[in-house]
Amino acid sequence: MSPQSKLWIFGDSFSYQDPQDDPEARLWPRLVAEQLAGIMRRPFTLINNSLLGAAQEHTWFKIRENLPQIQSSDYVVITLTHAGRKWFFDDLPQLSSAFVIDFDAVVGEERARAAELYIKHIQRPQQDFMDMDHRFGWLDWQVKQRSLRRPVILNCFVQQR
């Protein structure tokens, strides 16, 4: 008997599911897993690696971290957040925008200033989109190398280049 297939979800708040949620809640990742199970006539395990407020860097970090466990019988869905969000601080992957209320109170004055200066002097949309394109290229290469199904990528923010 083949191992149970998995539905892997990676992204931000568009796909996040609080572990404290009612297991019977009809959230879209669960609904997709149920629909897949019905269509494919086999059970699917839902593995949701999404995080509220995460930047694309964190999403790809989670994909890379879990890639060795993803099998050719599995399905992957990625909810794509805005390319301009940044994973500023290792210990706060959920804080990808310096425009969050009380950002400086959460991260401290020095780190808030560093993020502000990065946004003001270094960050630019062209680089954000080039980084996103490179992530797609890496993902495509990994999918081909590992003979995996192509992931479904949901564009959850308007991405204007």
Side-chain angles (χ1 to χ4, degrees), residues 2-146:
S2 63
Q4 187 169 349
S5 295
K6 296 174 183 69
L7 172 61
W8 298 83
I9 308 285
F10 299 94
D12 67 347
S13 58
F14 287 98
S15 52
Y16 177 74
Q17 184 174 321
D18 189 325
Q20 304 303 318
D21 283 345
D22 175 2
E24 300 302 314
R26 309 287 291 163
L27 303 172
W28 78 259
R30 286 191 190 132
L31 294 173
V32 171
E34 290 172 13
Q35 290 292 316
L36 268 175
I39 292 167
M40 303 302 284
R41 294 192 173 108
R42 65 177 186 260
F44 275 80
T45 300
L46 174 61
I47 302 173
N48 194 332
N49 287 283
S50 301
L51 179 67
L52 288 171
Q56 286 185 21
E57 292 116 331
H58 186 266
T59 298
W60 257 255
F61 171 77
K62 296 306 284 185
I63 293 168
R64 184 180 190 123
E65 183 179 71
N66 287 278
L67 200 54
Q69 289 79 46
I70 298 174
Q71 303 296 312
S72 60
S73 61
D74 296 345
Y75 290 83
V76 174
V77 176
I78 301 167
T79 59
L80 194 61
T81 193
H82 193 277
R85 282 179 151 182
K86 290 294 173 200
W87 184 6
F88 294 113
F89 311 110
D90 280 342
D91 60 329
L92 296 168
Q94 72 279 13
L95 202 59
S96 62
S97 173
F99 304 108
V100 171
I101 296 172
D102 296 333
F103 183 81
D104 55 344
V106 174
V107 303
E109 277 186 44
E110 183 180 28
R111 296 198 309 172
R113 181 77 175 135
E116 177 187 331
L117 291 172
Y118 173 83
I119 291 167
K120 183 176 180 180
H121 297 290
I122 298 172
Q123 185 177 21
R124 59 196 187 283
Q126 302 90 331
Q127 185 63 47
D128 295 337
F129 289 112
M130 284 178 25
D131 290 346
M132 184 173 68
D133 290 344
H134 295 157
R135 287 184 198 102
F136 287 145
W138 173 85
L139 182 61
D140 186 58
W141 181 73
Q142 290 294 324
V143 165
K144 288 176 182 168
Q145 291 295 309
R146 297 168 186 269

